[in-house]
């Protein structure tokens, strides 16, 4: 889809990937509805985009049903949108027993429930042809120790994307699933970065991820996995999960040391 002149609702616009995506989309000539929780951050972003007057800030807490409803009923949205990007996300890297119930709940709400309910609310507002892009993760295809809840949420988002795309066949609306690998943003804790450094996991810049997402929108790519070997492992895990079980078992003690690192666990507890 050509992006010039298209109205794009982008959730999580104030985050690392969100900001880079907003800039990349605005450079293509799209008009943006920028969603996040902090109006000041969104306004700062809007002012830095080309043609700031073309874009609008729609602050909302996606965990709140009232905020989601207000977002769906806002003037900017009721005029119609061409593209919805469900990008807002939440992630905790810790052993399951070290995660607070509130942290588990937040990941499931922000990564699964909110995109599903927002998509349901916005479908009648979508112009045709239209695109919905759900931002998944490599962890939406590979169950990884320390990310059990995050993986559960991203596997669910992938299933939702696939089923909804098939459900909407012939409607003029397509659902794209876009899965980055580790990306340098504030989503990841210091422990997650330390683990990645120790085991040699590559991380991408948010600008690279945004450029890939824009390319996937233009080409209407149904499924895109970023990174080698992540994209390969995602497929291998689907076909031969036992091989991936064995590969990850070899790294178990290293992953556990970082996930159970007391400062990592304490930092998460303080956030709540
Ligand atoms: N970074 C990675 O390594 C990586 C890898 C694969 C996939 N992803 C996925 O990419 C997406 C973007 O991640 P990121 O790395 O850019 O994360 P980030 O920098 O932490 O940004 C997260 C965004 O989500 C928003 N958000 C969180 N909770 C919200 C809530 N309750 N209501 C409304 N907005 C909320 C944040 O808004 P506030 O500014 O208001 O907090 C922020 O804009 C996520 O879906 C993530 O799972 C990231």
């Amino acid at each position: 889809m050509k992006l010039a002149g298209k109205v794009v609702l982008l959730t999580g616009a104030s985050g690392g990937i969100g900001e880079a995506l907003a800039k990349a989309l605005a450079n293509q000539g799209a008009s943006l509805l920028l969603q996040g929780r902090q109006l000041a951050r969104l306004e700062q972003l809007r002012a830095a985009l080309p043609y700031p007057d073309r874009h609008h800030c729609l602050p909302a807490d996606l965990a709140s049903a009232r905020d989601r409803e207000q977002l769906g009923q806002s003037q900017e949205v009721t005029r119609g949108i061409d593209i919805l990007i469900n990008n807002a996300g939440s992630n905790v890297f810790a052993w399951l027993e070290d995660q607070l119930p509130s942290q588990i709940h937040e990941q499931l709400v922000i990564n699964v429930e909110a995109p599903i309910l927002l998509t349901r609310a916005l479908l009648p507002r979508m112009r045709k042809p239209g695109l919905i892009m759900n931002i998944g993760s490599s962890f939406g295809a590979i169950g990884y120790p320390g990310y059990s809840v995050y993986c559960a949420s991203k596997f669910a988002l992938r299933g939702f994307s696939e089923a909804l795309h098939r459900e909407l066949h012939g409607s003029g609306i397509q659902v794209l699933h876009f899965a980055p690998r580790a990306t340098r943003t504030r989503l990841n804790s210091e422990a997650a970065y330390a683990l990645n450094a120790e085991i040699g996991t590559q991380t991408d810049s948010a600008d690279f991820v945004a450029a890939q997402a824009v390319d996937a929108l233009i080409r209407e790519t149904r499924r895109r996995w970023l990174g080698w070997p992540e994209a390969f492992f995602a497929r291998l895990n689907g076909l031969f999960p036992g091989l991936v079980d064995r590969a990850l078992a070899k790294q178990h003690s290293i992953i556990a040391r970082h996930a159970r690192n007391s400062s990592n666990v304490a930092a998460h507890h303080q956030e709540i």
Side-chain angles (χ1 to χ4, degrees):
M1 176 182 279
K2 252 181 85 181
L3 301 179
K6 297 295 189 304
V7 177
V8 182
L9 172 54
L10 172 64
T11 73
S14 48
I17 293 174
E19 277 196 19
L21 202 39
K23 287 174 188 159
L25 289 163
N27 283 334
Q28 292 284 328
S31 298
L32 303 178
L33 306 180
L34 303 164
Q35 186 282 328
R37 282 174 296 188
Q38 306 165 61
L39 180 59
R41 273 189 83 127
L42 295 175
E43 281 295 357
Q44 206 178 2
L45 171 64
R46 188 176 75 89
L49 296 175
Y51 305 105
D53 294 346
R54 282 190 194 163
H55 315 296
H56 300 275
C57 301
L58 300 177
D61 181 349
L62 294 176
S64 152
R66 206 187 53 151
D67 279 20
R68 285 194 305 265
E69 196 182 322
Q70 280 176 359
L71 183 66
Q73 289 173 356
S74 65
Q75 259 187 12
E76 291 82 0
V77 170
T78 51
R79 281 192 215 117
I81 56 179
D82 301 288
I83 300 174
L84 165 63
I85 306 181
N86 286 307
N87 166 67
S90 166
N91 171 0
V92 174
F93 170 52
W95 250 220
L96 179 62
E97 63 208 77
D98 296 330
Q99 296 195 27
L100 295 174
S102 55
Q103 294 175 308
I104 293 170
H105 184 244
E106 180 175 311
Q107 290 173 86
L108 296 175
V109 168
I110 302 306
N111 298 348
V112 189
E113 189 179 299
I116 291 176
L117 291 173
L118 195 63
T119 301
R120 179 185 177 277
L122 299 188
L123 267 175
R125 311 283 187 219
M126 292 205 58
R127 298 180 186 139
K128 286 147 191 166
L131 297 175
I132 297 167
M133 174 179 270
N134 291 327
I135 307 295
S137 164
S138 311
F139 289 156
I142 304 168
Y144 201 91
Y147 289 101
S148 57
V149 179
Y150 185 71
C151 288
S153 71
K154 292 295 185 179
F155 269 68
L157 187 68
R158 178 164 64 93
F160 170 67
S161 307
E162 186 169 279
L164 186 66
H165 178 80
R166 292 171 181 172
E167 183 174 313
L168 293 175
H169 174 76
S171 71
I173 298 176
Q174 299 191 74
V175 185
L176 316 181
H177 181 256
F178 177 81
R181 65 174 174 183
T183 308
R184 288 183 292 283
T185 71
R186 67 189 151 94
L187 186 79
N188 298 306
S189 61
E190 280 180 26
Y193 283 117
L195 170 65
N196 289 344
E198 183 166 350
I199 62 177
T201 301
Q202 298 292 312
T203 55
D204 289 323
S205 70
D207 286 338
F208 171 78
V209 173
Q212 287 288 318
V214 164
D215 184 68
L217 286 168
I218 292 171
R219 293 173 193 267
E220 303 179 7
T221 309
R222 281 271 304 106
R223 300 171 178 89
R224 185 169 295 189
W225 301 92
L226 297 190
W228 173 266
E230 289 79 358
F232 170 71
F233 270 108
R235 286 171 177 79
L236 184 71
N237 195 51
L239 290 173
F240 304 110
L243 289 179
V244 181
D245 286 348
R246 286 196 283 282
L248 288 176
K250 287 186 191 149
Q251 296 182 338
H252 187 269
S253 58
I254 301 175
I255 300 169
R257 176 158 43 79
H258 289 284
R260 307 212 75 174
N261 166 328
S262 57
S263 64
N264 182 39
V265 173
H268 286 314
H269 283 227
Q270 277 165 12
E271 277 169 19
I272 298 300

